[in-house]
């Protein structure tokens, strides 16, 4: 694979991943969305389908890593580091692009996230749900992860464990004869991501991907979203460091055990 193919493939694939993933978070979170309050299971499957669509799309060009932790785990296992930087650039650029596309998709909902001076919604609140809402909806959770309990050590450990739970199986799936040739490997990985969300996503929102969290967080910082709240840069290092550590550990364990 050429550097150009890898770069373009990772941009496109990661943008699709974030469009679907941030999109389902927006659908569940924002007022005036038909999917509002549909719950964690919907979010977990939305992210899984994002992996499915993004990885299948990118696979012919780049192999569809879409995640610096996956790229790092493969590099630690194989010792091939020459193209890592190309993958990472594409992934972070794609994550930012996907976040912008999500913003444009839900533009009207983001714009409705304001309050009049009299305390009412800036749009007509005609149903009972909107009538009982108390203030603007914080928007960072659409783009990036927020821990349920803020404990840096516990949050970091959660991200490390969850990322090992992603990268180690991904590496091991490569040993299963026929998965790649049959085209089902990406489907299995997508279901794995759904499982991680359902089982391990409760404490931190399961970033398990530095590009997935940092790229959209940067975009959130600069987007003109009314009442968007903080971008929480004090926490931002955890969903970057945790997955990178987890990816490296997974690659090391795989190299030693398999």
């Amino acid at each position: 694979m050429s550097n150009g193919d890898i770069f373009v493939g990772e941009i496109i694939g990661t943008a699709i991943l974030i469009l679907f993933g941030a999109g389902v978070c927006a659908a569940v979170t924002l007022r005036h969305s038909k999917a509002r309050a549909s719950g964690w299971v919907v979010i977990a499957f939305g992210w899984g389908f994002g992996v499915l669509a993004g990885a299948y799309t990118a696979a012919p060009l780049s192999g569809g890593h879409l995640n610096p932790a996956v790229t790092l785990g493969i590099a630690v296992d194989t010792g091939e580091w020459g193209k890592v930087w190309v993958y990472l650039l594409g992934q972070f650029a794609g994550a930012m692009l996907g976040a912008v596309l999500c913003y444009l998709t839900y533009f009207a909902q983001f714009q409705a996230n304001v309050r009049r001076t009299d305390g009412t919604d800036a749009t007509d609140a005609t149903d009972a749900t909107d009538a009982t809402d108390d203030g603007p909806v914080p928007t960072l959770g659409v783009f990036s992860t927020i821990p349920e309990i803020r404990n840096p050590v516990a949050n970091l450990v959660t991200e490390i464990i969850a990322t090992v739970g992603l990268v180690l199986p991904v590496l091991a799936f490569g040993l299963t004869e026929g998965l790649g040739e049959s085209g089902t490997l990406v489907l299995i990985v997508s279901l794995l991501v759904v499982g991680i969300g359902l089982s391990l996503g409760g404490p931190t929102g399961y970033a398990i991907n530095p590009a997935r969290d940092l790229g959209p967080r940067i975009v959130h910082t600069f987007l003109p979203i009314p009442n968007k709240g903080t971008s929480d840069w004090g926490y931002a290092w955890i969903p970057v460091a945790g997955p990178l550590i987890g990816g490296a550990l997974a690659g090391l364990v795989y190299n030693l055990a398999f």
Side-chain angles (χ1 to χ4, degrees):
M1 298 174 181
S2 70
N3 285 350
D5 283 347
I6 291 171
F7 184 64
V8 171
E10 292 297 297
I11 287 178
I12 294 172
T14 310
I16 292 172
L17 164 65
I18 300 303
L19 174 60
F20 277 48
V24 74
C25 291
V28 172
T29 303
L30 297 176
R31 281 201 294 273
H32 311 291
S33 164
K34 293 183 181 296
R36 188 175 183 222
S38 50
W40 187 252
V41 174
V42 171
I43 289 176
F45 273 95
W47 277 103
F49 290 140
V51 172
L52 184 74
Y56 268 129
T57 303
L61 290 172
S62 66
H65 293 189
L66 314 186
N67 184 342
V70 172
T71 301
L72 180 60
I74 293 172
V76 169
D77 171 48
T78 63
E80 297 177 4
W81 294 86
K83 295 184 182 294
V84 168
W85 67 274
V86 184
Y87 277 98
L88 266 59
L89 284 178
Q91 289 156 3
F92 279 100
M96 295 175 72
L97 174 59
V100 172
L101 293 174
C102 172
Y103 168 71
L104 294 175
T105 302
Y106 282 89
F107 178 79
Q109 282 69 34
F110 282 115
Q111 292 303 113
N113 192 44
V114 297
R115 304 288 282 180
R116 290 199 184 109
T117 55
D118 62 0
T120 61
D121 288 338
T123 56
D124 248 339
T126 56
D127 60 65
T129 301
D130 289 329
T132 58
D133 280 329
D134 185 20
V137 177
T139 57
L140 178 61
V142 172
F143 296 90
S144 298
T145 58
I146 302 169
E148 192 67 14
I149 296 175
R150 192 169 294 265
N151 181 319
V153 174
N155 301 152
L156 183 65
V157 169
T158 296
E159 286 294 332
I160 292 171
I161 292 172
T163 307
V164 171
L166 169 68
V167 178
L168 187 57
V170 166
L171 294 173
F173 291 161
L175 295 177
T176 305
E177 187 176 352
L179 271 184
E181 290 81 358
S182 67
T184 56
L185 177 59
V186 172
L187 174 61
I188 299 302
V189 172
S190 303
L191 292 174
L192 171 64
V193 171
V194 173
I196 291 171
L198 295 175
S199 300
L200 306 176
T204 62
Y206 73 116
I208 60 174
N209 181 339
R212 167 265 178 275
D213 195 275
L214 181 59
R217 195 181 298 268
I218 293 171
V219 170
H220 179 266
T221 299
F222 292 103
L223 282 176
I225 301 173
N227 293 307
K228 66 182 178 182
T230 177
S231 297
D232 197 8
W233 284 103
Y235 178 77
W237 67 275
I238 290 176
V240 173
L244 289 177
I245 295 169
L249 285 174
L252 181 62
V253 170
Y254 180 80
N255 185 272
L256 293 174
F258 293 87

